[in-house]
Amino acid sequence: RVFMAPLTRMRATQPGDVPNALMAEYYTQRAGAGLVITEATQISPEGKGYADTPGIYSAEQVEGWRKVNESVHQAGGTICMQLWHVGRVSHSSLQIDGQPPVSASDRPYQNKTTVKDEHGNMVRIACSTPRALRTDEIPRLIEEYRVATRHSRAAGFDMVEIHAAHGYLLHQFMSEESNFRDDQYGGSLENRARSCPEVIGEWDAARVGIRISPLGIFNGLNDLAGEEMGLYLAAEFAKRGLGYLHLSEPDWAGGPALSLAFREKLRAAFPGVIIAAGNYSLEKAQPLLDAGLIDAIAMGRPFIANPDLPERLEGGHPLNEGRMELYYGGGAAGYTDYPSLRG
Ligand code: PHB
């Protein structure tokens, strides 16, 4: 019940944002997780918002992920692809032909993302003002999620997770702070939520999970009204029999802790597996597991530094400290060189 949370590491091979042998080694080292969830992976070139994150839209990328999956499966692991479109959390230099990024509306994200300068160094740069997706473009967007799901199946993933959290594109549609549309994708809560269920449907629902971040403050969206949306989506996904609901809780990035009352309502709305993430420890998780309010926890930063995290937790062993300066970009250092108990 200790899963590996999705973690951006920015080490895909260039050009082409291709998963590589180093990434296969990294994920294989962590195959002891109850479920490995990959780093956020763009469904299209347009969905990219940071330097060197991997994609799942080209044949080369699918082949790279196939090698990751073969290796993780050989080590006895189970692995889920996180499908990502950043929307407005991007810069035109990351987009095809320097186009502006897209979003639900043209309201910019007033903050920075990470790109590479001409010397290959990671630098922080203000996000570009996005252009609003036209209504007649949304079927194309939805098709890209569906194609990415088919690619994930072909690459041998066990599941896919739709990233609908953290102020990225699907969340930009959900939030009244970034969605000012007057078509069927804007206005009422049902309309703002519409694109989320539409992107699923290319695999048995049990093979699809969704990640949301109700009440979280992230990437310019202050989701303090997120309870209602969270409950609505939980009920919609329960109707469709989705594999899991993954809560990225405010505790790791800002925002009020989820209340017990909200957790109880989520549990009532979604009878399937609920995964909770956000600065969890076994002590924090156990009462929620015992009460049946969550079924598993996903851990992020502790999994960066401890490839054998579940074994360490089970045995009460000390944890390695992560080297934060090596989280994003680079090679094996701070990535595949953390010791496990077995050496
Ligand atoms: C990040 O790159 O910092 C990042 C990416 C995806 C998330 C959250 C953070 O969901």
Side-chain angles (χ1 to χ4, degrees), residues 149-166:
T149 303
R150 293 204 290 272
H151 282 165
S152 302
R153 298 179 68 169
F157 281 102
D158 298 292
M159 294 187 73
V160 293
E161 172 177 293
I162 308 294
H163 192 340
H166 301 161

Side-chain angles (χ1 to χ4, degrees), residues 75-129:
T78 305
I79 180 164
C80 173
M81 153 61 52
Q82 196 195 46
L83 298 177
W84 192 32
H85 190 309
V86 298
R88 66 182 189 169
V89 185
S90 187
H91 185 264
S92 51
S93 66
L94 296 167
Q95 299 287 315
I96 289 176
D97 298 331
Q99 296 285 313
V102 301
S103 184
S105 295
D106 60 4
R107 177 80 55 104
Y109 168 44
Q110 307 274 13
N111 209 325
K112 295 185 174 174
T113 187
T114 307
V115 301
K116 273 188 189 161
D117 68 13
E118 62 272 28
H119 310 292
N121 299 315
M122 298 279 187
V123 289
R124 300 280 292 161
I125 181 170
C127 290
S128 306
T129 298

